[in-house]
Amino acid sequence: MSRIIGPMPEVRKTRPSPLTRIIKGRHSSLDVLFERSYTMKMGEFAGARRRFYFLTQPDIVDRILKGDNDLYPKSDLMGTVLHQILGNGVFVSNGETWKRQRQMMNPAFEFARISEVFPLMMQAAEAMKERLDAVADGREVSVDFEMTHVTADIIFRTIFSEPIPPEDAESIFDAFNHYQELAYIHGVWNMAGLPQALSIPRLRAIKHARNIRGPLARMVRKRFELLETNPETKPADILQSLIEAKDDAGKKFTEKELIDQIAVMFLAGHETSASALSWALYLIAQDRDVQDRMQAETDRAFGQEGGLQPKHFKFLKLTRDVFRETLRLYPPVSFVPRDITIPETMRGKNLKKGSAIFISLWLLQRHREIWKNPDTFDPDRFSREDEKEAIRSAYMPFSQGPRVCLGASFALQESAIILSMIARHYDITPVEGHVPKPVARLTLRSENGIRLRLRKRS
């Protein structure tokens, strides 16, 4: 059984002071946690204009996430940090706007059915293998960049029917790393009640947001030009389904709305998966037993007649559980903020209207009173009877309820293909002295990257 404990931020013994929370919180939301955070059910701290609550009690979390969206909408803090990239897209919108967008996007998610996108995923995975073959001689590989490239390639092919240009993959990777640091600091600035107009991080983030939205906007305009010159040419992809989508009044998305939704699907469809896959590869590199077992099962799956197909996923149970366990330990979105629209009482506390709740997936999925060996990398826990209740009540990396991540099945299949492709063809070993530093901003990434060594299997 695996006994690997992956990197964690230092856990301080005592609750940080308000000033320390601001200073440390500007770097990463994980840096404000302390020892009791991992056993508490609910915590609170006062902002300049409202109170904020950290929630980790499963039954209350369940009620909020599965309850009325209008009572517990996505917090305006999400819009504050993501507006420049996502506009008012479906990930951050609320109320009637969200309902309209969600209804119009249903056809796009229909297109993203597993059987439809499997060939596209395999094409991107094969392209990844070609890139890795060129460096799989024991030298250091930046796997966080490689995972961003392959997942961006998959979602690009799914949305636009073509692979992502290498220069766009690199520029988007760099732009989002800079953007999320600046936008996160701006979010802390906002929580502190400081004037948004004076936020230098917000102004600096705008440039990086353009470098992300720019390639997506170009692809949308390219499609409109194609439809103008060849109206009968309609590629079977997500973009086309969104162009043709209508609401109950027969109205279509405007070009800006279309770019907003594409930005949501692009970032949600690759950034979160890239984060989890990078951490998974790091954990696999540390655990030779798990890696050996994965290689054995991928050899079996790929050795089937016709190579890997969706029907062969039954042979990849450990590979899927490795990804699921990584999502538990390193949830890409570590904190889910919701606003409270009416006065509430939770755990004996009176919560005022306008307060914000952070549902902490990082804490919930490492809670000392819920999980056995909560910090240990143990993919086999998903097969054990004594872990079923914890998984049922406190495992929710894709959230829950009406706003559950609609790309969950997409991400699980994508991860199985990518991890099995790597395990099938390479031995993965750590880089001596390199320990990733987890930081939770918009997504959970390593501040100093994730570097590993790959060698082709004989």
Side-chain angles (χ1 to χ4, degrees), residues 69-138:
N69 272 334
D70 294 330
L71 288 180
Y72 309 108
K74 282 282 185 82
S75 177
D76 57 14
L77 290 169
M78 295 293 286
T80 295
V81 299
L82 289 169
H83 173 76
Q84 292 150 329
I85 293 182
L86 305 185
N88 195 34
V90 70
F91 185 73
V92 295
S93 62
N94 283 304
E96 293 304 315
T97 299
W98 174 79
K99 292 173 185 175
R100 173 180 178 265
Q101 292 172 344
R102 181 64 190 88
Q103 174 208 352
M104 293 175 71
M105 294 183 77
N106 278 334
F109 286 102
E110 280 297 308
F111 173 80
R113 290 190 303 268
I114 300 306
S115 59
E116 298 285 346
V117 299
F118 179 82
L120 302 175
M121 290 181 175
M122 287 298 294
Q123 290 167 18
E126 290 287 355
M128 173 197 71
K129 179 181 177 298
E130 289 183 14
R131 293 191 299 273
L132 293 180
D133 277 348
V135 294
D137 54 7

Side-chain angles (χ1 to χ4, degrees), residues 49-342:
R49 298 174 182 169
R50 56 177 166 173
R51 298 192 76 82
F52 300 90
Y53 298 86
F54 282 82
L55 187 61
T56 57
Q57 182 166 317
D59 60 327
I60 304 179
V61 169
D62 188 73
R63 175 167 65 85
I64 290 174
L65 293 181
K66 292 181 180 178
D68 189 332
N69 272 334
D70 294 330
L71 288 180
Y72 309 108
K74 282 282 185 82
S75 177
D76 57 14
L77 290 169
M78 295 293 286
T80 295
V81 299
L82 289 169
H83 173 76
Q84 292 150 329
I85 293 182
L86 305 185
N88 195 34
V90 70
F91 185 73
V92 295
S93 62
N94 283 304
E96 293 304 315
T97 299
W98 174 79
K99 292 173 185 175
R100 173 180 178 265
Q101 292 172 344
R102 181 64 190 88
Q103 174 208 352
M104 293 175 71
M105 294 183 77
N106 278 334
F109 286 102
E110 280 297 308
F111 173 80
R113 290 190 303 268
I114 300 306
S115 59
E116 298 285 346
V117 299
F118 179 82
L120 302 175
M121 290 181 175
M122 287 298 294
Q123 290 167 18
E126 290 287 355
M128 173 197 71
K129 179 181 177 298
E130 289 183 14
R131 293 191 299 273
L132 293 180
D133 277 348
V135 294
D137 54 7
R139 75 182 81 172
E140 292 185 16
V141 175
S142 296
V143 296
D144 48 344
F145 171 72
E146 289 298 337
M147 292 305 97
T148 299
H149 191 157
V150 67
T151 53
D153 193 14
I154 287 173
I155 196 66
F156 220 78
R157 292 170 190 258
T158 308
I159 295 175
F160 301 119
S161 294
E162 58 184 88
I164 189 170
E167 62 274 14
D168 282 347
E170 185 169 354
S171 67
I172 289 172
F173 176 75
D174 290 338
F176 190 74
N177 280 346
H178 286 103
Y179 178 85
Q180 73 162 318
E181 179 179 2
L182 293 166
Y184 173 77
I185 294 172
H186 171 62
V188 175
W189 177 287
N190 179 269
M191 289 171 65
L194 300 172
Q196 293 196 49
L198 301 180
S199 171
I200 295 175
R202 182 184 69 86
L203 298 175
R204 291 175 59 199
I206 291 173
K207 178 185 73 173
H208 299 293
R210 291 192 189 115
N211 290 336
I212 298 169
R213 281 180 70 98
L216 305 180
R218 286 197 300 272
M219 294 299 293
V220 171
R221 291 181 189 120
K222 177 181 173 182
R223 177 64 56 83
F224 279 126
E225 290 170 3
L226 173 67
L227 294 174
E228 285 175 8
T229 56
N230 298 286
E232 300 304 316
T233 303
K234 295 183 178 181
D237 56 24
I238 286 176
L239 175 56
Q240 193 62 37
S241 68
L242 291 178
I243 288 173
E244 296 175 4
K246 296 180 181 179
D247 61 19
D248 290 338
K251 293 183 179 179
K252 295 185 175 184
F253 283 126
T254 65
E255 184 172 329
K256 181 190 179 302
E257 287 176 326
L258 198 58
I259 296 170
D260 287 350
Q261 308 313 329
I262 291 294
V264 169
M265 298 187 77
F266 180 76
L267 281 178
H270 92 279
E271 169 60 25
T272 52
S273 293
S275 166
L277 284 164
S278 302
W279 289 110
L281 290 172
Y282 179 82
L283 293 168
I284 293 165
Q286 305 294 317
D287 195 319
R288 190 67 241 186
D289 173 63
V290 165
Q291 188 172 166
D292 288 343
R293 291 163 57 200
M294 282 182 64
Q295 288 176 339
E297 76 170 21
T298 57
D299 289 347
R300 184 182 181 195
F302 276 78
Q304 301 299 309
E305 184 178 355
L308 185 66
Q309 299 293 331
K311 63 183 179 182
H312 301 143
F313 278 24
K314 61 188 176 185
F315 300 118
L316 297 177
K317 183 180 186 310
L318 176 62
T319 302
R320 296 196 309 272
D321 285 345
V322 162
F323 189 68
R324 294 171 73 193
E325 176 70 342
T326 305
L327 289 172
R328 183 186 71 83
L329 290 169
Y330 298 97
V333 179
S334 299
F335 297 88
V336 178
R338 294 292 182 95
D339 285 337
I340 297 176
T341 60
I342 59 172

